[in-house]
Amino acid sequence: MVSPAIALAFLPLLLTLIIRYRYFFVLFYRAVLIRMWKDCVTGLSREERAFQYVLTHATPGDPDSILDTFDVWCSKVEFISNIGPKKGKILDRLLMEHSPLTVLELGAHCGYSTVRIARSLPLGARLYSIEMDQRNAAIAEKVIRLAGFDDDTVELIVNPSDEVIPQLRSDYNLERLDFVFMDHWKKCYLPDLQMLEGSGLLGKGSIILADNVLFPGAPKFLRYIRKSGLYEWRIHRATLEYSKGIRDGMAELVYQGIK
Amino acid sequence: MSTAGEQDAGLSLQEEHESKTHRTKRRDGDRQKKKRRNERRKGGTRAGEGEEDLQAVSEKRERSKRKRAKSKQETSRRENNEEEEAQLTGGKGTKARKDIRNEKTRRMEKEEVREVEENVDKGKKKQGSTKKGEKKEDGGKQLVKGKAREVKKKKHKKAETSSEPETSEEDDDEEEDNDKDVVRLECLSPEELEKLKEAVDERKKLIQSLRGKPWAMKKKLVTLRESQEFVEKYEGALGKGKGRKLYAYKVLMTKKWMKFQRDFENFKTGCSIVTVASYFLFLRWMYGINMILFGLTFGLVMVPEALMGRPYGSMPRKTVPRAEEASAMDFAVLWDFGGYAQYSVLFYGYYNNQRTVGWLKFRMPLSYFLVGVGTVAYSYMVVIRTMARNANESGVGDDNSFNFSWKMFTSWDYLIGNAETADNKFASITTSFKEAILEEQESHKDDNIHLTRFLRVLANFLVLCCLAGSGYLIYFVVRRSQKFALDGLENHTWWERNEVNMVMSLLGMFCPMLFDVISTLENYHPRVALQWQLGRIFALFLGNLYTFIIALMDEINLKRKEEKIVKFNITTWEASLYNGTVSENSTASPVTIHPADVPRGPCWETMVGQEFVRLIISDTMTTYITLLIGDFLRAVLVRFLNYCWCWDLEAGFPSYSEFDVSGNVLGLIFNQGMIWMGSFYAPCLPALNVIRLHVSMYLQCWAVMCCNVPQERVFKASGSNNFYMAMLLVILFLSTLPAIYTIVSIPPSFDCGPFSGKNRMFDVIHETLESDFPPWFSKVFSYASNPGLVLPFILLMVLAIYYLQSTSKSYREANVELKKKLQMQNEENKRKNKRAALKAQMDLEEARMTAQEQQRNNNASVQDQESGSLNSNINKEY
């Protein structure tokens, strides 16, 4: 039997691990344990709970208030991996700078980022938002309408992204995408990017913004953009939404085309 | 251009003229540029314009070249450092490169246009590949052109160009289609082969000497790439007949090896030479020292004893006791260095106290003592010498004055050849800038100083708690092990028996991690934080070591008490034995008793040696096992689980382990300290350490290369080398202290070791002086060791040291002064130059003014004259 003294010698290691990875433990607790418990207790999905909270606490028709309420819920009550206020500022800035007319959003989730993008779009711009999950899409729809954006501004497409992207040109009469925001499955970043390249929707100067490229992370995506040479890219380093210690980043790609 | 511009500004008088020349110049420049561009296009203009045939050839050349480039991109087999780096720099780098590339692409586009024009033509050419005659003609023309190109490319080589045109021709044909080339190569004549070989050698030479060429970087790159391509292509094919394959294989292997070396080089430089490579350099240096220690102990102590001393089994101290004989060869016992290992040359107790051994009259005890002293003396010497050399190298520079510009211009490492490293470097530069800015801000305002102070105090408190806890744990464990030893070790499990070593190794490994985590509380500058961290680890190791030694001292005292009892018992036993034999048989000589049956005292020296050897072994094992589990296993898991995990394991949470340089260096230092401490009682320790260092060199090297990532927080710990050296010196001193204490104050065991029977170990010197040297020598020695002589000598030495130190101090001050003076002079020169330039400008202005004035005057005078003449005319008319 291992003697207790040797076991005690492992105490520093244990402490080190706990302290060093505390943010991850907290995240695990908030994102997984609380969610499971609340799912059992309320019988609603997480997104539905968030929507209920927003409905009761936010001012309808005011996107800012809705976003704030979402932030409060996500940081105080439960955890949803929205883009969050800090990284959202980067997104806002990019949108303001470039004022794109056609925007594609991959992964609407529960509408937070959709509202965020739609809020800072110029007049006459149109946002296509793709969401795979039916229930999430329903909530996203409600949130978007609650924020006061109509069908002309935001179009929600309920389908997997890999099915929608090849159809964009034919079904939605799109010629060119000015801005693409990726926040869906991290594994789909690369195939979807390649699909976008293949579809010819990207023109010179189109901007692609990919969230969460460091955590949970999309290594293949990063490797690809590093090597492809089609893009001028940079990574905005920030922390994970609603969490201080976990580092994350957003990749900003500017399509240069083939030279 | 710029000079022209200046002149423009200066001489507005000749403005008209100047601008004209300027314009023409520019036009000339354009023309030149165009010309150059044309030349670049593989001598399209040079080899005669309008000749369709030739154009086609040049076309082919371009195409082949482009093809080559393309294939290179695709396979990316040749990973040129520069190329890679360019890719790495990514977002930042591409911008800068784009300009260059634009130039290139423009040219490419033009070429493409031409290509389109002549596509049809070439199609014809391709079809007519059977037309050998035409081809030959091509070749002939290429020969000329190739020559031209070669001459242009290698201006420095004039004579040997004769072989090159041919090779370049080969090159082009080869590019066109490979199959034909193989056929061609095979039917080459020996002379041609010879020429080819020559060309290959030449290219190789060129590649080697390329770095020192005064060319533009671009040209260098192009030349390098072409030459490498060439060499690669033809080197393998140069062998004859059957040997060719072997040769090709050999070339392939050497190429692989080169690539590996380059990768390693990249890695070394990639993760900042100061950090990881410095550890390995330190390890190698340590290895050298240990080799010498090993040579001393092995050559002067172990081998003579093994060869010339009394053989095993001849004496009680050289025999395994009867009680242990049964288990003396068990692996478990040998692993603990008991049994046969204990009764061998590996430990102190085996050595005999006879003055001379063998026919060489080798003075064993003296040699043993002198080697013990000599190893320590040698270590002191080497460490101090290295420190002095390092101090010279570091010079007198103040790093703090131009912080930002240093960072700005020197932080990028141009040798980085690895994507992750580049990313990390980028991040580290950014963070270092952030830190520097923060620091600058903090030095101006300190708003939350109380919180910071509180946190720092708290962190130190926590660290102290940690240190105390670990010290107590070790003390507790050692006490327990003594209890176990009293009970008899056989009754306890392996875990309990090795508790001390295990706990020491584990604490030494895990506590630094905890310190590292705690130190984030303090919010120090990384360099300061590193120093704190090192200091804490140092304290931890030292505390652990000294707890261990104190416990050992207790044990030594216990053993000595036991020894007294045993000594008493032995005399009575001998007496009884003698009496017994006498009573039984009065005439016979005393009965010979087998040495294994003779009772013997507990040899505390051997016990100490064993403890140290066990400590070293367990330390080594822990290091290796953590390397395998913590680094290798983790790397494997991260690497392969990453395919099916829901987040990026490589970048985020577990990630790969980082190579902890400071911890590893300190581990090495303390390991060395243990060697120094224990090697007097266990001559085998340097040998063990040599093996350990050798293995760990390669094992850690492998681990670093394949399962570690470079540290994210890379910073230059300038002068840290000497910091480590100073630590080594302190450890050396601290580790020789207990050894010297035991040698001086504790009498050696009565029945084991080379000094048995003496009152103190150093009595061996007296003995030698008295018996081996002439009497006058010992007399001189006794005079010399008289306190009346020694004290003044020491005083003199102290004075000398003081004098030297003060002079060095003044020299340093003078150095600083000189530096300041240089700086001042520099500034003065700059000011003078500026003034001179200003004055020149003023003069010019003045000259221009006067010139204008003169002109005006002239004009006026001319007008005057005219008017005067007119007047006179008028006057005349009247």
Side-chain angles (χ1 to χ4, degrees):
Chain A
M1 190 50 219
V2 180
S3 69
I6 293 178
L8 259 181
F10 277 94
L11 188 68
L13 178 70
L14 198 68
L15 278 176
T16 310
L17 291 180
I18 289 175
I19 296 173
R20 181 171 290 167
Y21 298 121
R22 59 192 183 278
Y23 293 112
F24 291 95
F25 292 123
V26 169
L27 181 69
F28 176 75
Y29 169 72
R30 288 186 57 205
V32 179
L33 295 183
I34 287 198
R35 178 188 180 179
M36 277 160 59
W37 185 62
K38 288 268 181 158
D39 278 357
C40 289
V41 170
T42 57
L44 295 171
S45 78
R46 185 172 54 154
E47 288 77 16
E48 284 166 337
R49 290 196 296 275
F51 178 65
Q52 276 189 348
Y53 184 86
V54 170
L55 207 57
T56 47
H57 289 78
T59 323
D62 181 7
D64 294 346
S65 144
I66 287 176
L67 292 182
D68 287 344
T69 324
F70 256 117
D71 287 340
V72 167
W73 191 80
C74 289
S75 50
K76 296 272 157 55
V77 188
E78 273 183 64
F79 182 86
I80 282 186
S81 61
N82 291 323
I83 184 169
K86 275 182 192 155
K87 283 192 285 183
K89 285 227 172 66
I90 299 174
L91 176 65
D92 290 348
R93 183 169 58 79
L94 280 175
L95 287 169
M96 294 292 187
E97 274 173 13
H98 298 278
S99 46
L101 289 178
T102 330
V103 180
L104 176 69
E105 189 200 8
L106 302 176
H109 201 61
C110 49
Y112 178 90
S113 49
T114 318
V115 171
R116 188 133 209 153
I117 294 171
R119 185 178 70 154
S120 38
L121 280 183
L123 271 178
R126 198 165 158 78
L127 167 64
Y128 298 89
S129 189
I130 298 177
E131 174 57 46
M132 190 176 77
D133 190 69
Q134 286 282 350
R135 292 170 73 187
N136 286 352
I139 288 161
E141 178 89 29
K142 282 187 226 165
V143 169
I144 293 163
R145 302 296 169 245
L146 190 70
F149 297 111
D150 54 3
D151 258 340
D152 292 336
T153 327
V154 180
E155 174 147 359
L156 195 67
I157 305 164
V158 188
N159 246 335
S161 56
D162 50 341
E163 287 175 22
V164 178
I165 291 172
Q167 309 295 324
L168 277 177
R169 195 185 274 276
S170 54
D171 290 4
Y172 298 94
N173 294 324
L174 282 177
E175 279 307 311
R176 176 200 146 101
L177 291 168
D178 297 318
F179 193 96
V180 180
F181 179 66
M182 291 187 175
D183 193 11
H184 55 312
W185 285 109
K186 316 306 164 201
K187 295 241 151 96
C188 300
Y189 279 14
L190 179 57
D192 285 353
L193 183 72
Q194 283 166 335
M195 222 178 274
L196 281 171
E197 281 169 16
S199 69
L201 286 168
L202 296 176
K204 190 166 171 14
S206 294
I207 292 170
I208 297 154
L209 190 69
D211 190 21
N212 301 111
V213 288
L214 295 186
F215 184 87
K220 282 182 195 159
F221 177 75
L222 287 182
R223 214 167 295 143
Y224 174 74
I225 56 172
R226 218 175 258 149
K227 292 219 171 114
S228 74
L230 292 173
Y231 305 95
E232 203 173 288
W233 60 279
R234 56 183 300 200
I235 289 185
H236 299 276
R237 283 169 198 272
T239 56
L240 189 71
E241 51 272 3
Y242 314 119
S243 159
K244 267 188 299 182
I246 302 175
R247 282 184 306 169
D248 189 17
M250 297 210 296
E252 177 200 340
L253 286 66
V254 182
Y255 188 77
Q256 298 294 326
I258 302 157
K259 278 169 289 197
Chain B
M1 287 271 291
S2 65
T3 52
E6 257 172 48
Q7 281 168 358
D8 253 6
L11 306 170
S12 59
L13 187 100
Q14 302 169 336
E15 213 165 26
E16 192 79 2
H17 174 247
E18 190 64 40
S19 67
K20 221 180 257 171
T21 52
H22 187 169
R23 227 172 285 148
T24 49
K25 244 186 210 168
R26 194 182 284 166
R27 215 175 297 144
D28 275 358
D30 273 7
R31 214 174 292 149
Q32 270 177 0
K33 248 185 228 165
K34 259 181 204 164
K35 211 185 268 173
R36 230 175 288 143
R37 207 170 290 165
N38 284 342
E39 275 171 11
R40 284 254 177 80
R41 267 189 256 148
K42 298 293 120 52
T45 48
R46 195 180 268 254
E49 283 142 318
E51 281 181 71
E52 207 184 281
D53 222 356
L54 242 147
Q55 266 188 346
V57 169
S58 73
E59 199 46 65
K60 228 175 282 161
R61 220 178 250 270
E62 281 158 24
R63 238 189 78 246
S64 65
K65 231 184 150 200
R66 222 168 299 138
K67 212 195 283 169
R68 219 186 300 165
K70 237 178 251 171
S71 72
K72 204 180 293 155
Q73 268 184 2
E74 279 162 14
T75 53
S76 70
R77 220 162 78 234
R78 172 160 292 88
E79 290 166 5
N80 276 337
N81 286 357
E82 292 84 1
E83 227 174 32
E84 220 174 35
E85 193 214 301
Q87 277 183 0
L88 297 175
T89 43
K92 296 279 132 7
T94 41
K95 245 186 186 174
R97 274 180 61 88
K98 208 147 287 159
D99 301 313
I100 303 164
R101 217 181 277 162
N102 272 345
E103 189 83 12
K104 240 188 232 168
T105 48
R106 229 177 289 143
R107 211 175 300 140
M108 291 282 265
E109 271 167 21
K110 272 194 179 176
E111 283 167 10
E112 228 143 345
V113 171
R114 276 182 74 168
E115 188 178 27
V116 169
E117 280 172 8
E118 275 151 23
N119 237 353
V120 189
D121 190 62
K122 203 192 302 139
K124 272 180 208 162
K125 271 268 150 56
K126 270 225 155 178
Q127 276 179 354
S129 62
T130 46
K131 292 177 199 165
K132 283 265 172 176
E134 205 176 302
K135 207 139 215 176
K136 261 182 190 167
E137 213 179 280
D138 277 10
K141 260 155 202 167
Q142 273 176 8
L143 199 135
V144 178
K145 217 179 331 138
K147 203 172 204 164
R149 196 178 78 185
E150 294 301 330
V151 168
K152 207 176 75 182
K153 211 188 324 181
K154 308 182 183 180
K155 274 172 194 158
H156 60 294
K157 281 175 190 168
K158 285 165 193 165
E160 303 99 339
T161 38
S162 59
S163 65
E164 272 152 24
E166 204 174 277
T167 55
S168 69
E169 173 203 1
E170 288 291 337
D171 202 1
D172 287 342
D173 284 354
E174 150 87 23
E175 236 54 75
E176 200 141 325
D177 50 8
N178 277 319
D179 316 84
K180 210 179 291 166
D181 179 72
V182 171
V183 178
R184 271 191 157 223
L185 256 176
E186 267 162 9
C187 59
L188 274 176
S189 69
E191 309 155 9
E192 281 171 322
L193 264 179
E194 199 57 38
K195 275 182 182 174
L196 200 61
K197 209 170 192 173
E198 225 170 83
V200 166
D201 283 349
E202 211 166 300
R203 297 276 182 141
K204 271 186 189 166
K205 242 184 274 167
L206 179 68
I207 291 172
Q208 274 181 350
S209 60
L210 196 65
R211 192 167 282 190
K213 293 262 146 69
W215 297 346
M217 197 65 204
K218 209 166 147 196
K219 189 179 172 188
K220 273 189 193 177
L221 277 180
V222 169
T223 320
L224 178 73
R225 217 164 291 154
E226 276 176 10
S227 315
Q228 273 177 344
E229 192 98 351
F230 182 80
V231 168
E232 197 174 337
K233 193 145 287 155
Y234 288 106
E235 209 171 33
L238 270 180
K240 278 175 200 162
K242 282 176 193 169
R244 178 179 290 186
K245 245 177 201 169
L246 192 72
Y247 185 77
Y249 180 72
K250 226 165 70 183
V251 167
L252 192 78
M253 286 324 282
T254 47
K255 226 172 278 165
K256 284 249 167 75
W257 172 241
M258 295 271 282
K259 186 173 178 317
F260 170 78
Q261 272 184 327
R262 200 169 55 205
D263 281 354
F264 183 58
E265 208 67 23
N266 273 348
F267 185 86
K268 267 200 326 202
T269 50
C271 40
S272 176
I273 196 114
V274 197
T275 48
V276 172
S278 75
Y279 168 71
F280 285 103
L281 289 179
F282 189 68
L283 183 62
R284 198 180 59 183
W285 182 79
M286 212 65 130
Y287 184 72
I289 288 184
N290 274 289
M291 281 299 276
I292 287 176
L293 298 191
F294 166 70
L296 280 175
T297 49
F298 192 73
L300 292 178
V301 173
M302 286 163 85
V303 169
E305 176 70 22
L307 289 183
M308 301 186 287
R310 290 215 201 155
Y312 172 83
S314 58
M315 296 173 70
R317 71 181 66 173
K318 298 197 179 199
T319 326
V320 177
R322 190 67 73 192
E324 295 172 23
E325 227 165 35
S327 64
M329 207 53 204
D330 291 359
F331 180 73
V333 175
L334 285 182
W335 183 250
D336 280 346
F337 285 85
Y340 285 111
Q342 186 183 349
Y343 298 96
S344 68
V345 283
L346 302 182
F347 290 103
Y348 172 93
Y350 181 80
Y351 293 82
N352 195 5
N353 64 340
Q354 69 188 111
R355 268 197 62 231
T356 58
V357 294
W359 51 272
L360 273 176
K361 301 277 182 216
F362 190 79
R363 276 148 181 81
M364 194 60 221
L366 181 70
S367 162
Y368 196 100
F369 187 78
L370 286 185
V371 164
V373 174
T375 49
V376 172
Y378 171 76
S379 311
Y380 268 113
M381 207 178 70
V382 168
V383 171
I384 288 175
R385 208 176 53 195
T386 316
M387 272 184 81
R389 200 185 303 141
N390 279 355
N392 279 347
E393 272 170 17
S394 67
V396 276
D398 45 348
D399 293 340
N400 299 326
S401 44
F402 304 108
N403 203 357
F404 282 98
S405 41
W406 277 121
K407 276 201 175 61
M408 185 81 200
F409 294 114
T410 60
S411 44
W412 187 256
D413 188 349
Y414 288 93
L415 290 171
I416 288 177
N418 182 339
E420 277 95 43
T421 317
D423 262 8
N424 277 345
K425 188 74 196 173
F426 176 65
S428 85
I429 291 173
T430 331
T431 46
S432 82
F433 259 107
K434 275 181 200 160
E435 272 163 6
I437 292 167
L438 273 182
E439 218 178 340
E440 203 65 28
Q441 280 173 347
E442 257 168 38
S443 64
H444 291 311
K445 55 154 192 176
D446 36 3
D447 47 356
N448 217 346
I449 190 76
H450 294 298
L451 180 67
T452 321
R453 267 184 200 154
F454 169 73
L455 282 179
R456 284 176 186 178
V457 169
L458 182 72
N460 279 317
F461 176 71
L462 287 177
V463 168
L464 274 183
C465 285
C466 198
L467 284 177
S470 78
Y472 178 72
L473 192 62
I474 287 177
Y475 187 74
F476 172 77
V477 166
V478 171
R479 271 297 162 87
R480 225 162 78 113
S481 80
Q482 285 167 359
K483 208 176 72 191
F484 291 157
L486 285 182
D487 287 356
L489 281 175
E490 301 75 37
N491 307 330
H492 297 281
T493 58
W494 185 85
W495 290 106
E496 280 171 334
R497 266 182 285 139
N498 289 292
E499 218 174 38
V500 180
N501 304 331
M502 292 275 290
V503 166
M504 271 186 71
S505 310
L506 288 176
L507 282 178
M509 204 161 53
F510 296 143
C511 281
M513 293 185 195
L514 191 58
F515 293 164
D516 196 26
V517 165
I518 289 173
S519 72
T520 52
L521 267 183
E522 297 176 308
N523 202 17
Y524 274 127
H525 183 272
R527 200 173 298 145
V528 183
L530 175 76
Q531 276 162 5
W532 275 96
Q533 171 79 355
L534 283 177
R536 280 164 190 163
I537 300 176
F538 192 79
L540 173 82
F541 283 4
L542 205 64
N544 291 357
L545 206 61
Y546 262 70
T547 323
F548 177 73
I549 287 166
I550 288 165
L552 262 186
M553 286 288 176
D554 283 357
E555 212 160 335
I556 287 174
N557 288 335
L558 277 178
K559 291 263 172 180
R560 285 185 56 220
K561 269 179 207 157
E562 201 183 326
E563 194 183 288
K564 262 180 201 160
I565 299 166
V566 168
K567 214 172 174 180
F568 178 70
N569 283 349
I570 282 177
T571 45
T572 54
W573 174 80
E574 267 178 349
S576 71
L577 194 74
Y578 193 68
N579 288 342
T581 48
V582 164
S583 66
E584 264 176 32
N585 193 347
S586 56
T587 53
S589 56
V591 182
T592 51
I593 303 166
H594 194 266
D597 296 325
V598 177
R600 62 188 76 177
C603 192
W604 62 263
E605 290 97 338
T606 300
M607 186 270 297
V608 171
Q610 265 177 318
E611 287 292 330
F612 274 108
V613 170
R614 276 183 211 145
L615 200 61
I616 293 285
I617 293 283
S618 84
D619 199 45
T620 313
M621 294 323 284
T622 339
T623 317
Y624 293 165
I625 288 170
T626 38
L627 205 76
L628 283 182
I629 293 177
D631 290 2
F632 181 64
L633 217 64
R634 179 170 162 189
V636 166
L637 281 181
V638 165
R639 177 78 183 78
F640 291 105
L641 270 185
N642 205 22
Y643 289 118
C644 50
W645 204 256
C646 55
W647 69 75
D648 188 5
L649 292 170
E650 286 178 344
F653 176 18
S655 177
Y656 296 107
S657 51
E658 285 178 357
F659 188 75
D660 175 23
V661 178
S662 55
N664 271 308
V665 168
L666 275 183
L668 209 60
I669 286 174
F670 272 83
N671 179 51
Q672 195 57 39
M674 284 191 267
I675 299 294
W676 279 322
M677 232 188 269
S679 64
F680 191 74
Y681 298 117
C684 64
L685 266 181
L688 277 180
N689 201 33
V690 164
I691 296 171
R692 175 216 159 114
L693 288 180
H694 196 90
V695 175
S696 83
M697 178 93 185
Y698 287 100
L699 202 63
Q700 280 186 317
C701 192
W702 163 79
V704 159
M705 301 252 293
C706 83
C707 22
N708 282 2
V709 287
Q711 271 177 320
E712 185 125 351
R713 267 196 333 183
V714 182
F715 46 83
K716 256 193 160 63
S718 63
S720 64
N721 262 341
N722 239 8
F723 190 59
Y724 290 134
M725 279 294 155
M727 253 174 197
L728 195 63
L729 192 66
V730 171
I731 284 298
L732 181 54
F733 178 69
L734 289 175
S735 61
T736 45
L737 264 191
I740 289 175
Y741 172 76
T742 50
I743 287 171
V744 170
S745 68
I746 303 179
S749 305
F750 73 98
D751 66 342
C752 70
F755 312 114
S756 55
K758 295 189 178 60
N759 192 24
R760 291 282 185 267
M761 287 177 191
F762 55 82
D763 284 347
V764 73
I765 302 270
H766 274 285
E767 192 191 84
T768 315
L769 279 177
E770 275 165 20
S771 53
D772 286 347
F773 285 91
W776 61 266
F777 192 85
S778 63
K779 209 177 255 176
V780 167
F781 192 80
S782 68
Y783 283 140
S785 60
N786 189 9
L789 221 65
V790 169
L791 277 181
F793 184 69
I794 290 176
L795 208 66
L796 199 71
M797 249 164 57
V798 169
L799 281 177
I801 288 171
Y802 179 73
Y803 170 73
L804 286 178
Q805 208 211 349
S806 52
T807 45
S808 78
K809 207 181 203 173
S810 65
Y811 281 146
R812 196 178 300 143
E813 273 167 14
N815 252 345
V816 171
E817 283 295 313
L818 274 177
K819 212 173 166 187
K820 258 185 204 164
K821 211 180 250 178
L822 265 179
Q823 215 168 339
M824 293 283 280
Q825 205 163 15
N826 205 10
E827 272 169 23
E828 186 68 24
N829 277 350
K830 241 187 248 167
R831 214 172 294 145
K832 220 181 271 174
N833 284 346
K834 210 183 244 173
R835 217 178 296 141
L838 217 66
K839 204 181 164 210
Q841 205 176 346
M842 293 279 279
D843 285 350
L844 272 176
E845 198 85 6
E846 220 164 82
R848 208 185 56 200
M849 291 292 275
T850 49
Q852 274 180 351
E853 197 79 11
Q854 221 166 9
Q855 212 173 12
R856 208 175 294 148
N857 284 347
N858 283 350
N859 286 349
S861 63
V862 167
Q863 274 180 5
D864 276 354
Q865 277 178 4
E866 275 175 9
S867 61
S869 61
L870 219 111
N871 282 345
S872 63
N873 281 352
I874 291 167
N875 284 346
K876 266 179 194 169
E877 272 182 21
Y878 278 103

